[in-house]
Structure formats: C-alpha cells, structure tokens
Amino acid sequence: MTLALRGEKLTRTFASAAGEVHACVDIDIEVAAGELVVVRGASGAGKTTLLNLLGGLDRPTSGKVWIGDVEATALDEDALAELRRERLGFVFQSFGLIPILSAAENVELPLRIVKTPPAEREERVAEALRLVGLADHAAQRPTELSGGQQQRVGIARAIAARPHVLIADEPTGQLDSRTAATVMDLISELVHSQGLAAIVSTHDPLLVQRADRVIELHDGRVTSVAGATASVAESAAVAETDAAAEPATVSEEPPHAPLTRAEAREQRRSAD
C-alpha cells in the first residue's frame, strides 16, 4: 500500500469570545493511492477543518501532515503552494467556476497558472473532460450547464493537473440526491481507475456506501473507522478515544462494539 496522504495527531484550536474551540483533536488519518475515504459527521463536527489541514489550506495548532513523502507542515508558504499545485486537486461544494469562461477554459485555468505548454494543456483538458463525460460540452459556460454538469467540470479541473490526491469538501451539497449519487460514482470510478487517493467529506448517508473506508467525526474527534482498509494507526486512535471516554468495567455480558463518546453520554443519561 502506497500512502499518498497522512496526518498525525492533528489538532486545530480556534480562539472565540466564548473560549477555545477545538475543531480537530489528535486525529490520525491515512489515505492510500487508489482509495476513497469518506469523512462523515454532522455540521460542526470538524470535517472541513480536517480537510483544510490535510490540503495545506490551514495549518494545525499541533500535529503533522505528509503529502507523499513530503512533510507539508514543515514547508514555508511558497513551497506549500507549489506542493498543492503539483500534488493536490480540490473540489468545492460551490463549484467555484468562473462564469465568463467556458467549461474547457475553467479546466485549463490551473494549467495556465503553472505554465503548462499550450499543446499539453489542450491534451490534458480534453482528457479531463472526457473522463467526466463532458467532452461534448467543452464550449459551454457554467450558466448553460446543469448543477451536476458544473460539478463535473469542477472535478475535471481538479484532475487536469494529474494530482496524487483529490480533496472534496461536501461536493454534492448543492445537488439533488440522484445527481449527487452520480457525482460520487464518478469520483469513485476516477479513484480506482486513475489510482488517485481521495478524501471526501459528507453528511449524506446515501453517499457513504461508495467509500472504501468511512471515518466518523464528532466534536472534532474520530469516533469510528469502518472499512476493510482501516489503518492500524486509526484503529488504535479510536480505541484510545473510547478508553478515555469510559472507565474499564468487568462484565459477564457478551462482547459488543465499543461505544462512541456520544453513545456513552446517551447511555449515561438514560441510566440516570
């Protein structure tokens, strides 16, 4: 297994008028090439903060991030920006397309920024639009496309630079359930056919089934990791969280799945 993205003991704390807000707390996470990881949790659980830390859009209060074999958290801003351009692709909930540009021109934009030669730009744009099923819509502007088509243009833009890692924050948040499922199927297909490592945040339970692995966040902490590719580090981190939440007890009842912190609190309230 080739790790494309790794976070170690990631913590992000924000100051507020009401005191410190712990958006992420001691999160260990790994994403391998060819793997689709979904981060799930309610609004405010810390999903966007975690993806921003992993994508180098924000810096952790403590902890480290590796993109491939490069420690991103050790880089200065210029080197980090270059690393993002070369190895990361981002997909946003709001699509982020420029209205006056055609689909092809939107996809081409990041390639222009890194001064990719014109002939290669043209080839990559055509390939990216073909992969997302929009080869016949290259000349259309965003207002002439449906919401699902606009998000597919966003995905094409993210993969045109041939990144190692795809980071998508609520990419289906503005889509109806049928279109959302189609977009997630597309991301899953690209991950497995192109060997991308992808991490996608969502609160939609219908989209979770497309994932190779699902990480549940609650109050900035990982409360569960499900899937055949769950890493040893992540499983150990969840076990430590559960152990800290509940004192050890001796029971003669049959073994069961460990409680999350939220379930433990609910059980205590019911007992009272």
Side-chain angles (χ1 to χ4, degrees):
M1 178 179 70
T2 302
L3 288 181
L5 181 65
R6 179 162 65 96
E8 180 182 289
K9 298 296 181 184
L10 291 177
T11 294
R12 184 66 171 97
T13 302
F14 297 96
S16 73
E20 291 188 336
V21 176
H22 303 288
C24 289
V25 182
D26 287 339
I27 293 179
D28 291 321
I29 187 168
E30 297 177 349
V31 186
E35 182 185 25
L36 172 57
V37 174
V38 164
V39 178
R40 182 172 64 172
S43 179
K47 303 186 301 297
T48 295
T49 299
L50 176 60
L51 265 60
N52 286 345
L53 295 176
L54 293 171
L57 300 177
D58 190 15
R59 290 188 180 270
T61 305
S62 62
K64 298 178 180 180
V65 174
W66 283 267
I67 299 172
D69 57 355
V70 178
E71 185 186 339
T73 40
L75 302 178
D76 62 26
E77 292 301 323
D78 289 341
L80 183 59
E82 183 177 356
L83 184 68
R84 285 197 301 265
R85 289 194 296 265
E86 292 179 352
R87 300 200 185 187
L88 301 179
F90 295 90
V91 180
F92 305 102
Q93 178 179 344
S94 60
F95 310 148
L97 304 179
I98 299 175
I100 63 172
L101 300 182
S102 68
E105 289 167 338
N106 269 283
V107 174
E108 183 186 32
L109 189 58
L111 299 177
R112 283 184 173 273
I113 292 173
V114 298
K115 299 180 180 179
T116 303
E120 185 178 351
R121 284 204 311 265
E122 183 176 347
E123 178 184 345
R124 288 197 187 188
V125 169
E127 178 188 28
L129 288 173
R130 177 184 60 78
L131 286 171
V132 301
L134 291 178
D136 295 333
H137 299 271
Q140 291 181 270
R141 290 184 170 86
T143 55
E144 300 171 320
L145 300 171
S146 69
Q149 288 173 327
Q150 289 184 59
Q151 190 57 294
R152 282 193 276 163
V153 173
I155 294 170
R157 180 183 56 192
I159 66 173
R162 297 173 183 168
H164 300 178
V165 179
L166 184 68
I167 296 177
D169 188 12
E170 298 278 7
T172 61
Q174 295 193 36
L175 306 176
D176 62 78
S177 58
R178 182 175 180 180
T179 306
T182 300
V183 168
M184 279 299 291
D185 284 338
L186 171 61
I187 291 175
S188 177
E189 181 181 348
L190 288 171
V191 167
H192 298 129
S193 66
Q194 303 295 310
L196 283 170
I199 182 163
V200 179
S201 71
T202 185
H203 63 273
D204 189 340
L206 294 177
L207 305 182
V208 172
Q209 59 188 290
R210 272 84 175 171
D212 298 311
R213 182 156 44 98
V214 179
I215 296 173
E216 189 87 29
L217 287 187
H218 182 72
D219 291 342
R221 296 179 182 272
V222 175
T223 56
S224 68
V225 181
T229 57
S231 72
V232 173
E234 290 164 338
S235 300
V238 173
E240 289 175 3
T241 299
D242 291 335
E246 291 295 320
T249 59
V250 177
S251 173
E252 295 182 358
E253 296 180 358
H256 53 78
L259 296 176
T260 65
R261 294 170 66 89
E263 290 170 337
R265 287 195 295 267
E266 182 63 29
Q267 189 179 81
R268 287 195 296 270
R269 283 196 294 268
S270 298
D272 294 339

mmCIF file with all atom_site columns, all heavy atoms in Angstrom, residues 249-267:
data_model
loop_
_atom_site.group_PDB
_atom_site.id
_atom_site.type_symbol
_atom_site.label_atom_id
_atom_site.label_alt_id
_atom_site.label_comp_id
_atom_site.label_asym_id
_atom_site.label_entity_id
_atom_site.label_seq_id
_atom_site.pdbx_PDB_ins_code
_atom_site.Cartn_x
_atom_site.Cartn_y
_atom_site.Cartn_z
_atom_site.occupancy
_atom_site.B_iso_or_equiv
_atom_site.pdbx_formal_charge
_atom_site.auth_seq_id
_atom_site.auth_comp_id
_atom_site.auth_asym_id
_atom_site.auth_atom_id
_atom_site.pdbx_PDB_model_num
ATOM 1   N N   . THR A 1 249 ? -14.588 -1.618  32.888 1.00 0.00 ? 249 THR A N   1
ATOM 2   C CA  . THR A 1 249 ? -15.507 -2.344  33.750 1.00 0.00 ? 249 THR A CA  1
ATOM 3   C C   . THR A 1 249 ? -15.421 -3.819  33.444 1.00 0.00 ? 249 THR A C   1
ATOM 4   O O   . THR A 1 249 ? -15.029 -4.227  32.356 1.00 0.00 ? 249 THR A O   1
ATOM 5   C CB  . THR A 1 249 ? -16.959 -1.876  33.539 1.00 0.00 ? 249 THR A CB  1
ATOM 6   O OG1 . THR A 1 249 ? -17.318 -2.077  32.169 1.00 0.00 ? 249 THR A OG1 1
ATOM 7   C CG2 . THR A 1 249 ? -17.122 -0.389  33.876 1.00 0.00 ? 249 THR A CG2 1
ATOM 8   N N   . VAL A 1 250 ? -15.825 -4.625  34.422 1.00 0.00 ? 250 VAL A N   1
ATOM 9   C CA  . VAL A 1 250 ? -15.857 -6.068  34.228 1.00 0.00 ? 250 VAL A CA  1
ATOM 10  C C   . VAL A 1 250 ? -17.300 -6.472  34.008 1.00 0.00 ? 250 VAL A C   1
ATOM 11  O O   . VAL A 1 250 ? -18.184 -6.125  34.796 1.00 0.00 ? 250 VAL A O   1
ATOM 12  C CB  . VAL A 1 250 ? -15.287 -6.803  35.463 1.00 0.00 ? 250 VAL A CB  1
ATOM 13  C CG1 . VAL A 1 250 ? -15.390 -8.312  35.262 1.00 0.00 ? 250 VAL A CG1 1
ATOM 14  C CG2 . VAL A 1 250 ? -13.849 -6.389  35.690 1.00 0.00 ? 250 VAL A CG2 1
ATOM 15  N N   . SER A 1 251 ? -17.583 -7.167  32.934 1.00 0.00 ? 251 SER A N   1
ATOM 16  C CA  . SER A 1 251 ? -18.948 -7.551  32.611 1.00 0.00 ? 251 SER A CA  1
ATOM 17  C C   . SER A 1 251 ? -18.981 -8.985  32.136 1.00 0.00 ? 251 SER A C   1
ATOM 18  O O   . SER A 1 251 ? -18.065 -9.456  31.481 1.00 0.00 ? 251 SER A O   1
ATOM 19  C CB  . SER A 1 251 ? -19.502 -6.621  31.518 1.00 0.00 ? 251 SER A CB  1
ATOM 20  O OG  . SER A 1 251 ? -20.763 -7.066  31.074 1.00 0.00 ? 251 SER A OG  1
ATOM 21  N N   . GLU A 1 252 ? -20.091 -9.669  32.471 1.00 0.00 ? 252 GLU A N   1
ATOM 22  C CA  . GLU A 1 252 ? -20.271 -11.034 32.000 1.00 0.00 ? 252 GLU A CA  1
ATOM 23  C C   . GLU A 1 252 ? -21.138 -11.068 30.756 1.00 0.00 ? 252 GLU A C   1
ATOM 24  O O   . GLU A 1 252 ? -21.461 -12.139 30.251 1.00 0.00 ? 252 GLU A O   1
ATOM 25  C CB  . GLU A 1 252 ? -20.917 -11.877 33.110 1.00 0.00 ? 252 GLU A CB  1
ATOM 26  C CG  . GLU A 1 252 ? -20.006 -12.034 34.332 1.00 0.00 ? 252 GLU A CG  1
ATOM 27  C CD  . GLU A 1 252 ? -20.647 -12.905 35.399 1.00 0.00 ? 252 GLU A CD  1
ATOM 28  O OE1 . GLU A 1 252 ? -21.800 -13.335 35.197 1.00 0.00 ? 252 GLU A OE1 1
ATOM 29  O OE2 . GLU A 1 252 ? -20.004 -13.163 36.416 1.00 0.00 ? 252 GLU A OE2 1
ATOM 30  N N   . GLU A 1 253 ? -21.569 -9.888  30.274 1.00 0.00 ? 253 GLU A N   1
ATOM 31  C CA  . GLU A 1 253 ? -22.389 -9.850  29.079 1.00 0.00 ? 253 GLU A CA  1
ATOM 32  C C   . GLU A 1 253 ? -21.532 -10.144 27.850 1.00 0.00 ? 253 GLU A C   1
ATOM 33  O O   . GLU A 1 253 ? -20.322 -9.944  27.860 1.00 0.00 ? 253 GLU A O   1
ATOM 34  C CB  . GLU A 1 253 ? -23.028 -8.462  28.935 1.00 0.00 ? 253 GLU A CB  1
ATOM 35  C CG  . GLU A 1 253 ? -23.999 -8.146  30.064 1.00 0.00 ? 253 GLU A CG  1
ATOM 36  C CD  . GLU A 1 253 ? -24.596 -6.765  29.880 1.00 0.00 ? 253 GLU A CD  1
ATOM 37  O OE1 . GLU A 1 253 ? -24.206 -6.082  28.898 1.00 0.00 ? 253 GLU A OE1 1
ATOM 38  O OE2 . GLU A 1 253 ? -25.443 -6.381  30.687 1.00 0.00 ? 253 GLU A OE2 1
ATOM 39  N N   . PRO A 1 254 ? -22.154 -10.610 26.735 1.00 0.00 ? 254 PRO A N   1
ATOM 40  C CA  . PRO A 1 254 ? -21.397 -10.883 25.516 1.00 0.00 ? 254 PRO A CA  1
ATOM 41  C C   . PRO A 1 254 ? -20.711 -9.620  25.015 1.00 0.00 ? 254 PRO A C   1
ATOM 42  O O   . PRO A 1 254 ? -21.198 -8.510  25.223 1.00 0.00 ? 254 PRO A O   1
ATOM 43  C CB  . PRO A 1 254 ? -22.486 -11.346 24.514 1.00 0.00 ? 254 PRO A CB  1
ATOM 44  C CG  . PRO A 1 254 ? -23.643 -11.768 25.365 1.00 0.00 ? 254 PRO A CG  1
ATOM 45  C CD  . PRO A 1 254 ? -23.588 -10.913 26.591 1.00 0.00 ? 254 PRO A CD  1
ATOM 46  N N   . PRO A 1 255 ? -19.554 -9.755  24.371 1.00 0.00 ? 255 PRO A N   1
ATOM 47  C CA  . PRO A 1 255 ? -18.843 -8.592  23.851 1.00 0.00 ? 255 PRO A CA  1
ATOM 48  C C   . PRO A 1 255 ? -19.668 -7.873  22.792 1.00 0.00 ? 255 PRO A C   1
ATOM 49  O O   . PRO A 1 255 ? -20.459 -8.493  22.084 1.00 0.00 ? 255 PRO A O   1
ATOM 50  C CB  . PRO A 1 255 ? -17.557 -9.191  23.241 1.00 0.00 ? 255 PRO A CB  1
ATOM 51  C CG  . PRO A 1 255 ? -17.895 -10.605 22.968 1.00 0.00 ? 255 PRO A CG  1
ATOM 52  C CD  . PRO A 1 255 ? -18.862 -11.019 24.034 1.00 0.00 ? 255 PRO A CD  1
ATOM 53  N N   . HIS A 1 256 ? -19.497 -6.563  22.681 1.00 0.00 ? 256 HIS A N   1
ATOM 54  C CA  . HIS A 1 256 ? -20.205 -5.775  21.692 1.00 0.00 ? 256 HIS A CA  1
ATOM 55  C C   . HIS A 1 256 ? -19.275 -4.690  21.165 1.00 0.00 ? 256 HIS A C   1
ATOM 56  O O   . HIS A 1 256 ? -18.168 -4.491  21.669 1.00 0.00 ? 256 HIS A O   1
ATOM 57  C CB  . HIS A 1 256 ? -21.461 -5.126  22.301 1.00 0.00 ? 256 HIS A CB  1
ATOM 58  C CG  . HIS A 1 256 ? -21.162 -4.353  23.551 1.00 0.00 ? 256 HIS A CG  1
ATOM 59  N ND1 . HIS A 1 256 ? -20.606 -3.099  23.532 1.00 0.00 ? 256 HIS A ND1 1
ATOM 60  C CD2 . HIS A 1 256 ? -21.334 -4.683  24.859 1.00 0.00 ? 256 HIS A CD2 1
ATOM 61  C CE1 . HIS A 1 256 ? -20.459 -2.661  24.764 1.00 0.00 ? 256 HIS A CE1 1
ATOM 62  N NE2 . HIS A 1 256 ? -20.888 -3.598  25.584 1.00 0.00 ? 256 HIS A NE2 1
ATOM 63  N N   . ALA A 1 257 ? -19.724 -3.987  20.113 1.00 0.00 ? 257 ALA A N   1
ATOM 64  C CA  . ALA A 1 257 ? -18.912 -2.931  19.520 1.00 0.00 ? 257 ALA A CA  1
ATOM 65  C C   . ALA A 1 257 ? -18.703 -1.813  20.531 1.00 0.00 ? 257 ALA A C   1
ATOM 66  O O   . ALA A 1 257 ? -19.608 -1.509  21.310 1.00 0.00 ? 257 ALA A O   1
ATOM 67  C CB  . ALA A 1 257 ? -19.621 -2.365  18.279 1.00 0.00 ? 257 ALA A CB  1
ATOM 68  N N   . PRO A 1 258 ? -17.528 -1.209  20.583 1.00 0.00 ? 258 PRO A N   1
ATOM 69  C CA  . PRO A 1 258 ? -17.269 -0.123  21.533 1.00 0.00 ? 258 PRO A CA  1
ATOM 70  C C   . PRO A 1 258 ? -18.184 1.059   21.272 1.00 0.00 ? 258 PRO A C   1
ATOM 71  O O   . PRO A 1 258 ? -18.534 1.363   20.136 1.00 0.00 ? 258 PRO A O   1
ATOM 72  C CB  . PRO A 1 258 ? -15.800 0.248   21.250 1.00 0.00 ? 258 PRO A CB  1
ATOM 73  C CG  . PRO A 1 258 ? -15.551 -0.224  19.876 1.00 0.00 ? 258 PRO A CG  1
ATOM 74  C CD  . PRO A 1 258 ? -16.387 -1.451  19.704 1.00 0.00 ? 258 PRO A CD  1
ATOM 75  N N   . LEU A 1 259 ? -18.587 1.721   22.358 1.00 0.00 ? 259 LEU A N   1
ATOM 76  C CA  . LEU A 1 259 ? -19.432 2.892   22.245 1.00 0.00 ? 259 LEU A CA  1
ATOM 77  C C   . LEU A 1 259 ? -18.631 4.093   21.776 1.00 0.00 ? 259 LEU A C   1
ATOM 78  O O   . LEU A 1 259 ? -17.464 4.248   22.115 1.00 0.00 ? 259 LEU A O   1
ATOM 79  C CB  . LEU A 1 259 ? -20.052 3.232   23.610 1.00 0.00 ? 259 LEU A CB  1
ATOM 80  C CG  . LEU A 1 259 ? -21.004 2.216   24.225 1.00 0.00 ? 259 LEU A CG  1
ATOM 81  C CD1 . LEU A 1 259 ? -21.424 2.697   25.599 1.00 0.00 ? 259 LEU A CD1 1
ATOM 82  C CD2 . LEU A 1 259 ? -22.220 2.000   23.344 1.00 0.00 ? 259 LEU A CD2 1
ATOM 83  N N   . THR A 1 260 ? -19.281 4.955   20.990 1.00 0.00 ? 260 THR A N   1
ATOM 84  C CA  . THR A 1 260 ? -18.684 6.249   20.706 1.00 0.00 ? 260 THR A CA  1
ATOM 85  C C   . THR A 1 260 ? -18.908 7.136   21.920 1.00 0.00 ? 260 THR A C   1
ATOM 86  O O   . THR A 1 260 ? -19.690 6.813   22.817 1.00 0.00 ? 260 THR A O   1
ATOM 87  C CB  . THR A 1 260 ? -19.332 6.912   19.474 1.00 0.00 ? 260 THR A CB  1
ATOM 88  O OG1 . THR A 1 260 ? -20.692 7.196   19.775 1.00 0.00 ? 260 THR A OG1 1
ATOM 89  C CG2 . THR A 1 260 ? -19.259 6.001   18.258 1.00 0.00 ? 260 THR A CG2 1
ATOM 90  N N   . ARG A 1 261 ? -18.251 8.289   21.904 1.00 0.00 ? 261 ARG A N   1
ATOM 91  C CA  . ARG A 1 261 ? -18.423 9.204   23.027 1.00 0.00 ? 261 ARG A CA  1
ATOM 92  C C   . ARG A 1 261 ? -19.872 9.662   23.133 1.00 0.00 ? 261 ARG A C   1
ATOM 93  O O   . ARG A 1 261 ? -20.422 9.774   24.226 1.00 0.00 ? 261 ARG A O   1
ATOM 94  C CB  . ARG A 1 261 ? -17.501 10.417  22.848 1.00 0.00 ? 261 ARG A CB  1
ATOM 95  C CG  . ARG A 1 261 ? -16.023 10.084  22.923 1.00 0.00 ? 261 ARG A CG  1
ATOM 96  C CD  . ARG A 1 261 ? -15.176 11.262  22.489 1.00 0.00 ? 261 ARG A CD  1
ATOM 97  N NE  . ARG A 1 261 ? -15.300 12.382  23.429 1.00 0.00 ? 261 ARG A NE  1
ATOM 98  C CZ  . ARG A 1 261 ? -14.524 12.539  24.487 1.00 0.00 ? 261 ARG A CZ  1
ATOM 99  N NH1 . ARG A 1 261 ? -13.592 11.655  24.764 1.00 0.00 ? 261 ARG A NH1 1
ATOM 100 N NH2 . ARG A 1 261 ? -14.665 13.587  25.274 1.00 0.00 ? 261 ARG A NH2 1
ATOM 101 N N   . ALA A 1 262 ? -20.539 9.928   21.987 1.00 0.00 ? 262 ALA A N   1
ATOM 102 C CA  . ALA A 1 262 ? -21.926 10.378  22.016 1.00 0.00 ? 262 ALA A CA  1
ATOM 103 C C   . ALA A 1 262 ? -22.835 9.284   22.566 1.00 0.00 ? 262 ALA A C   1
ATOM 104 O O   . ALA A 1 262 ? -23.753 9.542   23.355 1.00 0.00 ? 262 ALA A O   1
ATOM 105 C CB  . ALA A 1 262 ? -22.379 10.780  20.606 1.00 0.00 ? 262 ALA A CB  1
ATOM 106 N N   . GLU A 1 263 ? -22.584 8.028   22.154 1.00 0.00 ? 263 GLU A N   1
ATOM 107 C CA  . GLU A 1 263 ? -23.408 6.922   22.642 1.00 0.00 ? 263 GLU A CA  1
ATOM 108 C C   . GLU A 1 263 ? -23.212 6.709   24.131 1.00 0.00 ? 263 GLU A C   1
ATOM 109 O O   . GLU A 1 263 ? -24.163 6.393   24.859 1.00 0.00 ? 263 GLU A O   1
ATOM 110 C CB  . GLU A 1 263 ? -23.063 5.642   21.863 1.00 0.00 ? 263 GLU A CB  1
ATOM 111 C CG  . GLU A 1 263 ? -23.512 5.674   20.422 1.00 0.00 ? 263 GLU A CG  1
ATOM 112 C CD  . GLU A 1 263 ? -22.944 4.516   19.619 1.00 0.00 ? 263 GLU A CD  1
ATOM 113 O OE1 . GLU A 1 263 ? -21.904 3.965   20.025 1.00 0.00 ? 263 GLU A OE1 1
ATOM 114 O OE2 . GLU A 1 263 ? -23.542 4.169   18.592 1.00 0.00 ? 263 GLU A OE2 1
ATOM 115 N N   . ALA A 1 264 ? -21.981 6.897   24.597 1.00 0.00 ? 264 ALA A N   1
ATOM 116 C CA  . ALA A 1 264 ? -21.719 6.718   26.014 1.00 0.00 ? 264 ALA A CA  1
ATOM 117 C C   . ALA A 1 264 ? -22.462 7.758   26.841 1.00 0.00 ? 264 ALA A C   1
ATOM 118 O O   . ALA A 1 264 ? -23.051 7.449   27.886 1.00 0.00 ? 264 ALA A O   1
ATOM 119 C CB  . ALA A 1 264 ? -20.206 6.832   26.277 1.00 0.00 ? 264 ALA A CB  1
ATOM 120 N N   . ARG A 1 265 ? -22.463 9.023   26.336 1.00 0.00 ? 265 ARG A N   1
ATOM 121 C CA  . ARG A 1 265 ? -23.187 10.055  27.071 1.00 0.00 ? 265 ARG A CA  1
ATOM 122 C C   . ARG A 1 265 ? -24.675 9.768   27.108 1.00 0.00 ? 265 ARG A C   1
ATOM 123 O O   . ARG A 1 265 ? -25.335 9.940   28.133 1.00 0.00 ? 265 ARG A O   1
ATOM 124 C CB  . ARG A 1 265 ? -22.922 11.418  26.418 1.00 0.00 ? 265 ARG A CB  1
ATOM 125 C CG  . ARG A 1 265 ? -21.526 11.979  26.662 1.00 0.00 ? 265 ARG A CG  1
ATOM 126 C CD  . ARG A 1 265 ? -21.470 13.453  26.319 1.00 0.00 ? 265 ARG A CD  1
ATOM 127 N NE  . ARG A 1 265 ? -21.690 13.655  24.890 1.00 0.00 ? 265 ARG A NE  1
ATOM 128 C CZ  . ARG A 1 265 ? -20.702 13.729  24.007 1.00 0.00 ? 265 ARG A CZ  1
ATOM 129 N NH1 . ARG A 1 265 ? -19.447 13.589  24.385 1.00 0.00 ? 265 ARG A NH1 1
ATOM 130 N NH2 . ARG A 1 265 ? -20.967 13.935  22.738 1.00 0.00 ? 265 ARG A NH2 1
ATOM 131 N N   . GLU A 1 266 ? -25.236 9.308   25.966 1.00 0.00 ? 266 GLU A N   1
ATOM 132 C CA  . GLU A 1 266 ? -26.657 8.996   25.904 1.00 0.00 ? 266 GLU A CA  1
ATOM 133 C C   . GLU A 1 266 ? -27.015 7.857   26.840 1.00 0.00 ? 266 GLU A C   1
ATOM 134 O O   . GLU A 1 266 ? -28.048 7.853   27.507 1.00 0.00 ? 266 GLU A O   1
ATOM 135 C CB  . GLU A 1 266 ? -27.041 8.643   24.451 1.00 0.00 ? 266 GLU A CB  1
ATOM 136 C CG  . GLU A 1 266 ? -28.518 8.347   24.269 1.00 0.00 ? 266 GLU A CG  1
ATOM 137 C CD  . GLU A 1 266 ? -29.407 9.545   24.586 1.00 0.00 ? 266 GLU A CD  1
ATOM 138 O OE1 . GLU A 1 266 ? -28.940 10.692  24.413 1.00 0.00 ? 266 GLU A OE1 1
ATOM 139 O OE2 . GLU A 1 266 ? -30.544 9.326   25.021 1.00 0.00 ? 266 GLU A OE2 1
ATOM 140 N N   . GLN A 1 267 ? -26.122 6.854   26.925 1.00 0.00 ? 267 GLN A N   1
ATOM 141 C CA  . GLN A 1 267 ? -26.375 5.721   27.815 1.00 0.00 ? 267 GLN A CA  1
ATOM 142 C C   . GLN A 1 267 ? -26.385 6.161   29.259 1.00 0.00 ? 267 GLN A C   1
ATOM 143 O O   . GLN A 1 267 ? -27.222 5.721   30.063 1.00 0.00 ? 267 GLN A O   1
ATOM 144 C CB  . GLN A 1 267 ? -25.298 4.652   27.590 1.00 0.00 ? 267 GLN A CB  1
ATOM 145 C CG  . GLN A 1 267 ? -25.604 3.343   28.315 1.00 0.00 ? 267 GLN A CG  1
ATOM 146 C CD  . GLN A 1 267 ? -24.527 2.328   28.028 1.00 0.00 ? 267 GLN A CD  1
ATOM 147 O OE1 . GLN A 1 267 ? -23.470 2.347   28.644 1.00 0.00 ? 267 GLN A OE1 1
ATOM 148 N NE2 . GLN A 1 267 ? -24.804 1.421   27.103 1.00 0.00 ? 267 GLN A NE2 1
#
